């Protein structure tokens, strides 16, 4: 089954420009006119040669001329349907396939009914398309039957969901940037919009226009006509396109594609570094990414580590699931890479998955193999390299009945760009022939999700912990209310929905472990986001001393400050979660003042801590106050030269606790040895 876009250029190079755009030097080809004098069979052979070369518009003219001579020739009718289909003139293709079916000759052309049904779908005639796919299914088998069943489901999906538009507001980007030729592969870097285009006005080779990479700047909130990117990425001999940038903007991945004639396009992925205001000499990525026998395109880097990008890309290489699949490779900044890995059958289908884009833990891509509104629809899935969630269709109006792809983030939150051949483009030959760049604004309230995993803190590999208690509080001024209170019975992970513009506190506790408390703000989050956090709980060890950071007292007094009470409340949480623990609370001083005075002061301060914890509800017999004065320093009070050491003295002025025992069943205290 052919891809639903024009041969390879739509998938690889120009996002849908029919190959004839390159092959023709004028809209009226004198050679075509001369064919009127040729015999019928010669005309058909000539039309077939034009068709096989991807020169669909010229082929259409010759097939029509042949059909004028023999109006009932079913082959020419079918080929006209195929030519208009590949030229992405879906309305006219529907008419010719329909004419073949009306003649009763469709049985001689096995795919004609599928093509007819697909044209109905891409013309948004979903009920008619559903019926046509059902008729095709009666005579189909294998992958064709699978496709027919999928498309029947897709027609019902589209019919229902087109009446439930999402909160995306979609608009054409305008003719200051878009041209009558194709613009595709938008990518934002430093508030500039990079994209690729077959813009003849600025082509490096106007006699045989090539795709080049352009950059546009904003003026009064409008993108201006693009200029050729400075550096070594564009060529006068080869197509350049699909720019994509690393997270820091210092590396650009892009494609260069060679037209070998006869619709034979070969694309490879390159890497260029930004230096001194220019993009440097490109590095051709190795065989791990560029399988020379196949096409490798649509690079989409995601952050890996300080030396590596995770590069997602599309390829039709062997080992895949369908036509074009999405793969990934770990690419070092110098261009060396690990062997590519297929993303698997959650993402990839028996048809095509293209134009990946990774952003905020989500892979966005386009597919004509998942359930959708038209040809290529835009989907998203959460994951990283593997473990992907089921792809979600991003809905209408972001997706339409035709092709929608190259989804990418914009220069502002909730602004996105994508490419489509929907009506409203600046078209050369039909309302859906070519691709333009569109802008989408997300008007929805952002959906925010916080996901956590609990494990034991240690030097070895993390040990996942089940059975923790998770509490989530929302702050409203000085007050807080409980939103969630859950015991993770048999589980180590949790997930909660949050609201934008709020402040939250998370408390994760487990018996025999110190609680972990942290705050989360969604005040400045404008886009939907999944926040992930690993929560490490430290195991409580018997007879080990733990410092209570930031427990302070008024100078030379025993009164606790409000800041100290906040810290002690965490010890309170620990004692409440572990109701049998008995702890010694100790206070220490530096060596300023007399030893007996410091001893007395430290004892009184330890007792102040115990008194406060008792006031919160902890049994007094579980708390042992102990003042050590200046007898147990943890740092020198004096420097080696005998002068004062303020940093050391600060460390010595501390409050600590140690688990020293537990209560028996009858409430007796048992002190550990």
């Amino acid at each position: 089954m052919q891809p639903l876009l024009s041969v390879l250029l739509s998938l690889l190079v120009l996002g849908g420009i029919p190959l004839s755009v390159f092959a023709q030097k004028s809209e009226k080809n004198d050679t075509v006119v001369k064919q009127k004098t040729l015999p019928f069979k010669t005309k058909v052979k000539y039309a077939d040669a034009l068709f096989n070369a991807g020169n669909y518009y010229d082929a259409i003219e010759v097939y029509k001329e042949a059909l004028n001579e023999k109006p009932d020739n079913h082959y020419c009718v079918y080929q006209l349907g195929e030519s208009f289909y590949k030229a992405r003139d879906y309305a006219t293709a529907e008419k010719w396939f329909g004419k073949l079916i009306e003649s009763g000759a469709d049985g001689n052309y096995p795919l004609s009914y599928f093509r007819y049904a697909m044209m109905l779908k891409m013309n948004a005639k979903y009920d008619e398309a559903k019926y046509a796919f059902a008729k095709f299914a009666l005579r189909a088998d294998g992958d064709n039957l699978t496709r027919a069943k999928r498309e029947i489901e897709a027609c019902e999906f589209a019919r229902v969901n087109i009446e439930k538009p999402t909160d995306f507001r979609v608009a054409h980007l305008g003719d200051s940037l878009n041209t009558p030729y194709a613009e595709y592969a938008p990518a934002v870097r430093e508030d500039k919009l990079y994209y690729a285009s077959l813009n003849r006005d600025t082509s490096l080779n106007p006699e045989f226009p090539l795709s080049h990479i352009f950059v546009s700047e904003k003026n009064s909130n409008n993108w201006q006509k693009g200029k050729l990117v400075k550096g070594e990425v564009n060529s006068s001999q080869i197509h350049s396109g699909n720019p994509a940038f690393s997270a820091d903007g210092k590396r650009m991945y892009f494609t260069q594609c060679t037209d070998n004639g006869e619709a034979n396009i070969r694309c490879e992925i390159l890497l260029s570094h930004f230096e001194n205001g220019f993009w440097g000499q490109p590095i051709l990525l190795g065989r791990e990414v560029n399988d020379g026998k196949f096409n490798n395109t649509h690079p989409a880097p995601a952050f890996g580590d300080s030396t590596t990008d995770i590069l997602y890309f599309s390829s039709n290489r062997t080992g895949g699931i369908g036509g074009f699949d999405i793969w990934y490779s770990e690419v070092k900044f110098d261009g060396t890479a690990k062997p590519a890995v297929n993303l698997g059958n959650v993402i990839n289908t028996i048809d095509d998955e293209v134009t990946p884009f990774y952003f905020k833990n989500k892979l966005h891509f386009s597919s004509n193999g998942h359930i959708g509104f038209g040809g290529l629809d835009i989907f998203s899935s959460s994951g990283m390299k593997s473990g992907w969630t089921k792809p979600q269709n991003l809905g209408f109006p972001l997706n339409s009945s035709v092709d929608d792809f190259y989804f990418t983030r914009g220069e502002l939150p909730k602004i996105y760009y994508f490419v489509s051949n929907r009506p409203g483009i600046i078209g050369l030959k039909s309302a859906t022939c070519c691709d333009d760049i569109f802008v989408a604004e997300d008007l929805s309230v952002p959906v925010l999700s916080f996901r956590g995993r609990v494990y034991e803190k240690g030097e070895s590999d993390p040990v996942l912990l089940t059975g923790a208690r998770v509490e989530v509080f929302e702050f409203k001024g000085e007050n807080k209310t409980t939103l969630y209170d859950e015991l993770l019975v048999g589980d180590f992970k949790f997930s909660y929905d949050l609201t934008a513009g709020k402040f939250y506190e998370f408390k994760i506790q487990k018996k025999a472990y110190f609680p972990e408390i942290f705050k989360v703000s969604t005040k400045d989050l404008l886009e939907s986001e999944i926040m992930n956090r690993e929560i490490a709980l430290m195991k409580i060890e018997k007879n080990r001393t733990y410092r209570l950071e930031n427990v302070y007292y008024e100078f030379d007094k025993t009164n606790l400050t409000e800041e100290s009470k906040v810290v002690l409340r965490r010890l309170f949480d620990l004692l409440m979660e572990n109701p049998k623990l008995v702890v010694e609370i100790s206070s220490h001083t530096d060596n300023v003042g007399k030893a007996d005075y410091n001893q007395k002061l430290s004892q009184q301060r330890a007792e102040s801590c115990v008194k406060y914890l008792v006031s919160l509800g902890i049994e007094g017999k579980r708390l042992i106050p102990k003042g050590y004065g200046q007898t147990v320093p943890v740092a020198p009070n004096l420097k080696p030269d005998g002068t004062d050491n303020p940093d050391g003295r600060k460390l010595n002025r501390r409050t600590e606790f140690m688990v020293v025992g537990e209560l028996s069943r009858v409430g007796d205290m048992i002190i550990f040895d």
Side-chain angles (χ1 to χ4, degrees), residues 327-347:
W327 303 68
Y328 81 88
S329 173
E330 297 180 40
V331 181
K332 296 290 185 182
F333 296 170
D334 63 2
T336 58
K338 292 183 178 180
V341 178
N342 190 285
L343 263 59
N345 59 12
V346 174
I347 299 295

Side-chain angles (χ1 to χ4, degrees), residues 488-552:
L488 303 179
V489 179
D491 203 352
F492 56 85
K493 59 184 182 297
F494 59 86
S495 178
Y496 301 113
D497 291 333
L498 306 180
T499 303
K502 303 285 186 179
F503 291 97
Y504 298 92
E505 181 179 86
F506 281 71
K507 181 190 294 184
I508 293 87
Q509 306 174 82
K510 181 176 171 62
K511 288 185 178 180
Y513 290 85
F514 290 102
E516 184 70 15
I517 302 172
F518 55 88
K519 289 181 171 58
V520 172
S521 172
T522 62
K523 183 179 179 181
D524 298 320
L525 298 181
L526 302 177
E527 297 176 287
S528 296
E529 183 174 343
I530 298 174
M531 295 168 277
N532 293 289
R533 179 156 178 169
E534 302 284 298
I535 295 100
L537 299 184
M538 181 184 293
K539 192 173 183 64
I540 299 171
E541 297 181 25
K542 301 170 183 177
N543 293 325
R544 177 180 173 182
T545 299
Y546 299 97
R547 182 169 182 173
L548 291 169
E549 299 288 348
N550 302 322
V551 174
Y552 301 119

Side-chain angles (χ1 to χ4, degrees), residues 166-174 177-178 185-189 192-195 218 221 223 355-366 378-380 394-395 397-399 404-420 422 436-448 524-530:
T166 64
D167 292 316
F168 279 105
R169 181 169 60 193
V170 171
H172 187 261
L173 207 55
L177 188 145
N178 289 309
V188 172
R189 176 185 178 272
K192 296 179 182 179
L193 183 63
Y194 289 70
Y195 64 99
K218 266 192 172 181
N221 292 323
W223 292 109
T355 63
F357 171 70
Y358 196 87
F359 180 57
K360 289 191 174 180
N361 301 315
K362 280 192 176 183
L363 179 73
H364 300 83
F365 65 98
S366 287
I378 303 168
F379 295 83
S380 70
L394 295 192
L398 194 65
N399 288 313
D404 304 287
F405 51 150
Y406 284 113
F407 182 84
T408 189
R409 67 177 181 86
E411 70 283 4
L412 295 172
K414 308 191 81 170
I415 296 295
Y416 303 90
Y417 296 100
F418 69 103
V419 172
S420 181
R422 65 184 65 191
D436 279 354
I437 300 174
F438 287 73
V439 60
E441 182 180 4
D442 184 1
L443 303 178
S444 67
V445 175
V447 176
L448 305 172
D524 298 320
L525 298 181
L526 302 177
E527 297 176 287
S528 296
E529 183 174 343
I530 298 174

Side-chain angles (χ1 to χ4, degrees), residues 260-274:
N260 298 311
E262 296 296 310
N264 181 12
I265 303 295
R266 282 291 176 267
C267 295
E268 298 176 307
I269 298 174
L270 297 90
L271 168 63
S272 176
H273 291 80
F274 193 72

